[in-house]
């Protein structure tokens, strides 16, 4: 049981039951086929729902009023950084031509993240008597439906036509790079386009490429649901001759999420250090008989009576002691309004949170309070916020 579940149990009471589950490897990813504009109804695709229910018997009929469903989605991430570069070489001879046209093309890498630009580098060596007039480059998405019936959707997600550096005349050479960016913003009206599973109140993107092992059987392909692939296709337009075509596959996916790291409470430490630094000059200018006041806490709205400073208060305050002498009556120009601080997840048996502070003990060693913030607290605050927003929307 995680620390977040422990805090949820503490907050929700004895009727909360923690659990966990794991999706088997090789299961289908959350993919939805985009419907055409004007179509209604639930689109074709693969989605996941986590259903929980309460019953007195195991074989009791599941009723909607006794169950809760939560939509989740399964995504693919880049497991490793591949160093392979898709590469293709093409050679074509023409009639009445003594020499061929040689083409070499390559991509920067094999794995791309969503929103990244795809650059193809093309080298043309024209030794024939023909002329290459231009080039057309496309990125196509292939979605193989492996559910009840087998079918395939093909959609062009990015394309360009260029004549920069053209024509390539006989006995000449040309090297050029072309950049495309496949994204959903330019393809929202294409029917059959495969998209990542979409949850409520959030946008999505193009579907990630499905990792298919080489030894995949037809039964395993059916378990994958919808298999998505991407290919870059290019066509060289040749005058008085057939065009030259080539293609290179690549993978488009999500980047691997970063590992969670402990969050340092820098703001509290910085404010405490600034307060001790600002209090040191005030201590030197205050007379020896001046009284020091403690900062009132949130639980006591009335000010706390003044406390007598410890011996040698001026020296200890200059050294960073928490008992800092302050003026007894701040002027209107220097007075600052009190900022209320609220704790949204405090429990009944917990004490009010203590702000982080840096001080020195009697032995002269420094110590820090609340140096780190627990990540589970952040997740729990997000859970409470989403729950309150859901109740407001309802």
């Amino acid at each position: 049981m995680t620390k977040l579940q422990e805090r949820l149990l503490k907050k929700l009471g004895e009727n909360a039951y923690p659990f966990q589950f794991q999706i088997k490897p090789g299961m289908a990813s959350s993919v939805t086929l985009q419907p055409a504009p004007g179509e209604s109804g639930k689109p074709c695709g693969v989605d996941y729902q986590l259903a929980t229910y309460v019953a007195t018997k195991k074989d009791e009929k599941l009723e909607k009023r006794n169950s809760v469903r939560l939509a989740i989605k399964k995504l693919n991430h880049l497991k490793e950084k591949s160093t392979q570069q898709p590469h293709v070489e093409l050679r074509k001879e023409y009639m009445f031509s003594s020499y061929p046209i040689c083409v070499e093309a390559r991509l920067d890498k094999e794995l791309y993240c969503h929103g990244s630009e795809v650059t193809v580098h093309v080298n043309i060596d024209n030794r024939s008597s023909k002329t290459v007039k231009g080039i057309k480059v496309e990125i196509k998405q292939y979605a193989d439906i492996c559910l009840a019936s087998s079918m395939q959707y093909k959609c062009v997600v990015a394309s360009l036509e260029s004549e920069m550096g053209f024509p390539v005349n006989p006995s000449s050479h040309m090297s050029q790079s072309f950049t495309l960016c496949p994204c959903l913003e330019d393809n929202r009206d294409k029917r059959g386009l495969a998209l990542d599973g979409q949850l409520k109140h959030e946008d999505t993107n193009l579907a990630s490429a499905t990792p298919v092992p080489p030894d995949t059987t037809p039964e395993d392909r059916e378990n994958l649901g919808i298999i998505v692939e991407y290919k870059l296709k290019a066509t060289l337009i040749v005058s008085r001759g057939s065009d030259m075509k080539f293609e290179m596959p690549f993978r488009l996916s999500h980047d691997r999420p970063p590992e969670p790291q402990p969050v340092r409470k820098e703001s509290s430490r910085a404010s405490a250090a600034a307060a001790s630094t600002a209090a040191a000059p005030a201590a030197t200018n205050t007379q020896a008989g001046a009284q020091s006041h403690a900062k009132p806490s949130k639980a006591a709205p009335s000010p706390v009576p003044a406390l007598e400073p410890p011996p040698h208060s001026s020296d200890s305050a200059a050294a960073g002691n928490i008992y800092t002498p302050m003026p007894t009556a701040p002027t209107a120009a220097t007075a600052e309004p009190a900022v209320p601080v609220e704790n949204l997840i405090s429990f009944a048996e917990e004490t009010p949170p203590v702000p982080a502070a840096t001080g020195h003990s009697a032995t002269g060693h420094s110590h820090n309070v609340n140096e780190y913030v627990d990540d589970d607290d952040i997740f729990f605050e997000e859970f409470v916020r989403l729950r309150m927003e859901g109740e407001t929307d309802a």
Side-chain angles (χ1 to χ4, degrees), residues 3-15:
K3 295 183 66 176
L4 177 60
Q5 289 177 321
E6 293 177 359
R7 295 184 67 87
L8 287 173
L9 284 176
K10 197 173 182 181
K11 182 70 176 179
L12 301 177
E14 299 179 353
N15 293 329

Side-chain angles (χ1 to χ4, degrees), residues 198-373:
Q198 184 177 7
L199 298 180
K200 188 178 180 182
H201 302 311
E202 72 173 22
D203 200 2
T204 183
N205 47 259
L206 296 176
S208 302
T210 306
V212 181
D215 55 348
T216 303
T217 61
E219 291 78 8
D220 295 336
R221 290 180 64 90
E222 185 175 354
N223 292 333
L224 293 176
I226 301 178
I227 300 177
V228 181
E229 298 177 341
Y230 291 91
K231 292 182 180 180
L232 183 142
K233 289 192 171 186
T235 302
L236 294 177
I237 303 173
V238 181
S239 63
R240 301 190 309 275
S242 59
D243 298 338
M244 300 179 65
K245 300 181 179 181
F246 61 89
E247 65 179 29
M248 290 178 288
F250 66 93
R251 288 189 288 171
L252 186 67
S253 184
H254 294 275
D255 196 5
R256 193 175 186 86
E259 297 294 336
Q261 298 292 336
V263 182
R264 295 182 64 89
K265 199 167 184 180
E266 296 291 348
S267 58
S268 298
R269 297 184 62 190
S271 60
S276 60
T277 304
T284 58
N285 297 331
T286 306
Q287 297 180 0
Q291 295 182 349
S292 62
H293 297 269
K295 185 177 180 180
S297 61
K298 180 186 175 183
S302 59
V304 179
L307 299 178
E308 292 295 335
H312 307 288
S313 58
S314 300
D315 298 337
S316 59
N321 197 298
I322 58 174
Y323 289 93
T324 304
M326 297 180 64
T328 56
T331 60
T334 60
E336 296 182 358
V339 179
V341 180
E342 297 182 1
N343 187 1
L344 299 178
I345 57 172
S346 61
F347 303 118
E349 60 274 13
E350 290 183 350
T351 58
V354 181
T358 303
H360 292 265
S361 60
T363 57
H365 298 285
S366 61
H367 60 277
N368 297 330
V369 183
N370 295 343
E371 182 175 2
Y372 293 94
V373 178

